[in-house]
Amino acid sequence: MKWPGNYISAVLLYSVMLATLYFPFWGLGEVVCPHRQAAELAAVDYPDVTHIENRFFSDFYRGFLPVITGHYDESRSGALALWTKKNAIGKPLRQVFGFSPSWLPSFLLFKITSSPFIFITILSLSSVYLMGLFIILLCREINLSPLAGLVGGTILATSPIVSFWLTFPMMLSTWCWSAGVLYSIARLSRRIDWWGWLIAAFSIYSLLLSGYPQAVIFHFYIFIVFGSWEFSKSILIDKQKGLWRVLFFVSGCLVGATLSFPIYADLITTTLNSQRISPDNSYFTGVLPFIQNITDAKRYALSFFYPEIFGNPIKSSYPLQYKGISITPLILFFVCASFLFNVKRTFPWWVLLLLFCVLSLSESAYTWALDHMLFNISRHNPMRAIYIPVCILSAYGVEACLQKERGWLRGLISFICLLSLLFLVSAWGVKSQLQIDWFMVLFFCLISVCLLGTLMTSRAILVALILSLALLTYPKFLRQERSHIAMTSPSIHLLKENVAQGSVFAVVDQKLRLLPPNYNANLGISSFHSYDSLSSREYQTLVAALGGKMSTNGRLNHFILPDYDDVMFWMSNISLLLTREKIQNPYLLYVGTEANVRFYRSLSRMGECIQVPVDSPDLVVNGSWQLKKPLNIAVLPEKIIDRGDIVTFSSVTDKESVMILSQVYHRDWDATILRDGKWWPAKTIVVNKVFQGVLLPENTEQVTLTFNPFARYALFCHVIWLGLLLFLLVIAGARWFGKAGERGE
């Protein structure tokens, strides 16, 4: 008898294996984290040789933690934080990638934990668990054995690509909810089912709000191919029922997409005001493997098949270029077996596997896809989309090996393929003078024998799975003890003491790397600099005016070289400057030195807000509003209310004037003024092509600015989801009680 004997046992066994694998997180309190950020904070690193560090995953600190921290800490007028001034002189707080309460699961996570590190850990591990569970349920729908489902789900959840990107929750969410969509397709192509509809709707909604956009597009093509395959079979059996099932599934997808609209409406606006809509194709093709000759092909094969024999690929010292794209012996063995299986059953998955391999290995094909298949949203290697197809093919491979007819032949051919590739990779490694870990070579021989043993007993598959988890998956985890992560240092302490409230600090040294952009937000410090792929054009204009540079299509700025008497520098409200060099300037005051970094206080800055009469000779209206020089203003508007997305200032003059804020202009800031005891709308303007301004009529008493993006209404979608869930639970309960009553009769 094949074991496990049913799908309940398969899910339980899968849960036990993953719980054991992730014991350091839930049992020892460790967190998903790529490094301890000691170098970035000029802190003394904790002596720890058991936890790997890898700074390739810098987005963890630069992109993910700042957003999550902002949603915890930023002031707000409602339940959702919308605006932050921690970087880029003010910008909308990001609501996508699953880091915002605007996505229902994250909304619940924010209630469970107050630690951004624990938040990411739970988000990543739950996504991993769910992706495997969805694959197991998908295998059940397509009539594969429980063992095949167990292998397919476990292979995806513990694959090299998933372990490699464990610190990037949006990548994991893409695979997770894509598997959810595929499961709903398999379920709804067989019957009209409200739970399947809800899974389809919520998976689409989750993909859009928590997935990586370009990867979502790749998996969209998987949905088309698999959906066409499954629903066409349903239509051939019964045309009317089949078409109703298609419409039922599509309606669920439309509901999910509609409920993500508030966030995507803002995202589209932000994207259109950045440089990400016009990069050259070479920007995208840079992620493809560089293969121009046999030597390049061999090196790619070394990292794709058996990369572990050259060391742990997750270590920064790994000798080959590696970004998680490799396949394990289990995948190779069972995919080979599935190739010898019923092609009619596996045809769509082979088509998808071939499609993504061609797009990844052929630059001309990928360039065509950039122009015609929406592959130009962001840089992403199409090869990362092969893992759901190969895990399904692996499940079919298990089925092929367990069949009495020709099972031995399929297993033997797969075994020969495993050993042949192992011999070739080892030989190429020796010839390339790479250091070989012969223990891993012996391990791969052992696991190959275990896989051959599946022809005699299904339990050999479980042995191979456990060995693979222990020696291939577990060592790739980037995890740290929370107490070992640096969160302060003498340099950070000095920085915090000298950044004036409401102002920012700036680096005026091209090579200084203390507290890189966005790291500051995790510590509650405001920085002029930014790491954001959707940096606004206004911010980029300001960076250029201050002698700085934006790299990677407007993504990164880490220094400026300003004129300290310039009006743009004055308006930026920079109170502290960092450099390694000594500066002599009447506008700067030396504060101190720490870790070879000099700290200078700026003596001339605008502050958070000023008010300039329209008739002032220093304010020019020539097609746009321009302030010509720094002003010596005795009385500044008083900030009465500051809730982050709602700010109220007093007016200091009865004249018609312009109120200028030291933050970047954004179209979603609306203004109202208090005059004659009533509130009236006011016009917002751009000052010096960068800064937020408000045109005030005479006798204005107060000014209130309100940030009104569509995201403000995103939480209403949670009520709809909870309503849908309650509706289905009521229906399920009514059916259960109805059946119980019939049995009682």
Side-chain angles (χ1 to χ4, degrees):
M1 178 182 176
K2 300 174 186 177
W3 190 85
N6 55 62
Y7 267 93
I8 294 178
S9 300
V11 170
L12 289 175
L13 185 55
Y14 168 76
S15 302
V16 169
M17 286 195 294
L18 260 66
T20 304
L21 184 65
Y22 293 127
F23 174 77
F25 300 107
W26 63 265
L28 303 179
E30 295 179 350
V31 292
V32 170
C33 184
H35 59 82
R36 295 182 289 277
Q37 68 171 354
E40 290 76 8
L41 273 59
V44 177
D45 195 8
Y46 195 94
D48 188 343
V49 296
T50 61
H51 294 83
I52 300 170
E53 292 188 284
N54 192 327
R55 281 175 167 76
F56 170 77
F57 303 93
S58 59
D59 279 10
F60 181 89
Y61 284 105
R62 297 195 297 183
F64 310 158
L65 280 186
V67 176
I68 298 170
T69 302
H71 280 291
Y72 276 118
D73 298 341
E74 292 292 351
S75 299
R76 70 208 63 189
S77 60
L80 189 63
L82 300 170
W83 185 262
T84 177
K85 290 196 72 174
K86 290 297 187 294
N87 290 93
I89 317 292
K91 62 180 182 179
L93 195 56
R94 193 65 59 84
Q95 306 292 339
V96 289
F97 300 145
F99 302 139
S100 162
S102 58
W103 182 46
L104 180 56
S106 290
F107 176 83
L108 300 175
L109 269 182
F110 274 101
K111 303 296 182 184
I112 294 173
T113 178
S114 60
S115 167
F117 290 99
I118 295 178
F119 180 98
I120 284 187
T121 301
I122 296 175
L123 182 60
S124 293
L125 300 187
S126 59
S127 296
V128 172
Y129 176 79
L130 279 176
M131 74 173 72
L133 181 62
F134 280 134
I135 293 299
I136 292 174
L137 296 175
L138 169 59
C139 291
R140 179 175 178 268
E141 290 295 331
I142 59 178
N143 298 318
L144 296 180
S145 67
L147 180 58
L150 173 64
V151 171
T154 307
I155 279 179
L156 179 61
T158 62
S159 62
I161 194 81
V162 169
S163 302
F164 185 83
W165 293 107
L166 198 62
T167 57
F168 277 55
M170 75 277 281
M171 306 286 254
L172 308 178
S173 289
T174 304
W175 291 305
C176 170
W177 298 108
S178 293
V181 174
L182 294 172
Y183 167 57
S184 70
I185 290 173
R187 182 165 178 150
L188 294 177
S189 65
R190 287 159 175 78
R191 59 191 177 278
I192 296 290
D193 174 67
W194 280 106
W195 288 108
W197 182 91
L198 182 63
I199 292 171
F202 195 80
S203 295
I204 291 293
Y205 160 80
S206 297
L207 268 176
L208 294 174
L209 292 191
S210 67
Y212 189 71
Q214 190 61 73
V216 172
I217 295 296
F218 292 164
H219 286 81
F220 176 75
Y221 290 103
I222 297 179
F223 305 156
I224 291 176
V225 172
F226 182 64
S228 300
W229 182 262
E230 290 294 303
F231 283 114
S232 63
K233 291 191 294 184
S234 178
I235 292 172
L236 287 174
I237 295 172
D238 189 319
K239 184 176 181 179
Q240 185 175 3
K241 287 185 177 179
L243 290 174
W244 274 113
R245 290 166 184 169
V246 172
L247 291 175
F248 196 63
F249 168 74
V250 171
S251 68
C253 294
L254 290 176
V255 168
T258 301
L259 292 177
S260 69
F261 170 78
I263 303 304
Y264 267 78
D266 293 333
L267 184 62
I268 291 170
T269 299
T270 304
T271 303
L272 292 175
N273 194 36
S274 72
Q275 289 189 5
R276 289 305 295 273
I277 60 172
S278 57
D280 186 75
N281 281 350
S282 60
Y283 170 75
F284 299 102
T285 56
V287 301
L288 300 181
F290 184 79
I291 302 177
Q292 293 192 335
N293 51 49
I294 296 297
T295 301
D296 293 337
K298 286 182 179 179
R299 292 188 70 84
Y300 184 75
L302 292 179
S303 65
F304 191 77
F305 302 104
Y306 303 106
E308 293 82 5
I309 69 174
F310 307 110
N312 189 342
I314 203 66
K315 291 185 176 180
S316 55
S317 59
Y318 188 70
L320 300 171
Q321 186 179 31
Y322 183 82
K323 294 185 179 179
I325 299 176
S326 63
I327 59 174
T328 64
L330 274 79
I331 294 175
L332 184 58
F333 182 87
F334 290 120
V335 168
C336 287
S338 71
F339 184 72
L340 304 170
F341 193 43
N342 189 341
V343 178
K344 289 183 179 180
R345 296 184 67 184
T346 59
F347 178 74
W349 303 109
W350 284 109
V351 169
L352 290 165
L353 180 58
L354 180 62
L355 171 66
F356 291 118
C357 286
V358 169
L359 290 171
S360 178
L361 300 176
S362 170
E363 184 172 337
S364 59
Y366 184 67
T367 302
W368 183 89
L370 288 172
D371 297 328
H372 300 91
M373 296 176 66
L374 287 179
F375 278 26
N376 57 351
I377 294 178
S378 56
R379 296 177 7 139
H380 199 72
N381 191 337
M383 192 67 83
R384 294 174 187 164
I386 70 170
Y387 284 88
I388 287 181
V390 298
C391 83
I392 299 298
L393 288 172
S394 298
Y396 278 109
V398 172
E399 205 82 346
C401 289
L402 295 180
Q403 286 190 352
K404 294 181 180 180
E405 184 181 354
R406 297 185 179 180
W408 268 96
L409 178 61
R410 293 165 183 150
L412 189 59
I413 293 175
S414 301
F415 176 74
I416 293 172
C417 289
L418 277 184
L419 292 185
S420 300
L421 270 174
L422 179 60
F423 173 78
L424 286 174
V425 169
S426 301
W428 288 343
V430 171
K431 188 175 181 180
S432 302
Q433 298 183 338
L434 295 171
Q435 186 174 355
I436 306 293
D437 185 344
W438 293 107
F439 170 79
M440 291 304 298
V441 175
L442 290 175
F443 164 73
F444 285 128
C445 291
L446 174 62
I447 205 169
S448 300
V449 172
C450 287
L451 290 170
L452 184 63
T454 62
L455 304 178
M456 294 176 286
T457 172
S458 61
R459 296 176 191 269
I461 296 179
L462 300 179
V463 174
L465 269 178
I466 292 170
L467 288 174
S468 181
L469 298 186
L471 291 177
L472 298 182
T473 303
Y474 181 80
K476 293 188 179 75
F477 290 163
L478 286 172
R479 52 192 175 87
Q480 308 293 335
E481 293 188 28
R482 285 178 65 194
S483 59
H484 294 177
I485 299 172
M487 295 302 292
T488 190
S489 68
S491 298
I492 301 304
H493 182 69
L494 183 61
L495 183 59
K496 285 185 174 181
E497 281 187 336
N498 288 280
V499 176
Q501 185 175 3
S503 68
V504 301
F505 80 89
V507 173
V508 289
D509 185 328
Q510 296 188 43
K511 297 184 179 180
L512 180 60
R513 293 297 182 267
L514 175 66
L515 205 61
N518 291 22
Y519 278 75
N520 58 284
N522 306 323
L523 308 177
I525 307 172
S526 295
S527 167
F528 173 88
H529 310 290
S530 179
Y531 177 84
D532 186 351
S533 59
L534 299 179
S535 292
S536 70
R537 296 185 185 275
E538 289 81 9
Y539 174 69
Q540 296 176 48
T541 299
L542 179 59
V543 168
L546 298 184
K549 293 182 179 179
M550 300 294 300
S551 59
T552 322
N553 289 290
R555 178 192 294 264
L556 172 66
N557 167 260
H558 63 83
F559 74 92
I560 55 174
L561 300 173
D563 293 328
Y564 300 112
D565 59 348
D566 180 69
V567 65
M568 298 295 278
F569 177 78
W570 180 78
M571 295 173 75
S572 299
N573 196 26
I574 299 171
S575 65
L576 193 68
L577 302 167
L578 279 60
T579 179
R580 296 170 302 160
E581 307 297 331
K582 188 175 182 179
I583 302 177
Q584 295 286 352
N585 191 289
Y587 294 97
L588 303 180
L589 176 66
Y590 174 71
V591 174
T593 300
E594 189 65 56
N596 297 321
V597 177
R598 294 174 178 269
F599 294 72
Y600 290 88
R601 184 177 297 133
S602 173
L603 301 178
S604 177
R605 59 188 179 89
M606 184 181 82
E608 291 187 76
C609 178
I610 63 169
Q611 194 171 348
V612 183
V614 170
D615 58 5
S616 170
D618 298 312
L619 189 64
V620 179
V621 185
N622 185 17
S624 62
W625 295 86
Q626 295 283 336
L627 190 65
K628 294 194 296 184
K629 64 179 183 179
L631 304 178
N632 186 13
I633 300 177
V635 181
L636 298 176
E638 178 187 355
K639 185 188 290 185
I640 301 172
I641 296 173
D642 186 356
R643 296 178 184 167
D645 52 10
I646 295 181
V647 186
T648 299
F649 291 94
S650 63
S651 175
V652 296
T653 178
D654 292 335
K655 296 182 178 180
E656 184 182 8
S657 59
V658 173
M659 182 170 283
I660 306 172
L661 280 68
S662 59
Q663 73 179 37
V664 167
Y665 172 84
H666 195 285
R667 57 180 286 182
D668 287 338
W669 279 100
D670 298 324
T672 56
I673 60 165
L674 179 64
R675 187 177 63 168
D676 300 329
K678 294 182 179 181
W679 287 95
W680 306 86
K683 182 180 180 181
T684 58
I685 57 174
V686 187
V687 181
N688 287 48
K689 299 181 180 181
V690 171
F691 296 97
Q692 187 79 47
V694 184
L695 188 59
L696 306 181
E698 297 177 349
N699 301 319
T700 297
E701 301 169 32
Q702 292 182 9
V703 183
T704 294
L705 289 104
T706 304
F707 188 56
N708 281 319
F710 283 101
R712 184 176 288 275
Y713 312 103
L715 296 186
F716 290 112
C717 298
H718 298 353
V719 178
I720 296 175
W721 285 119
L722 294 175
L724 286 171
L725 179 60
L726 181 62
F727 171 71
L728 292 182
L729 288 175
V730 169
I731 291 177
R735 288 179 177 176
W736 186 84
F737 282 113
K739 291 180 179 179
E742 291 177 1
R743 288 193 297 268
E745 292 177 0

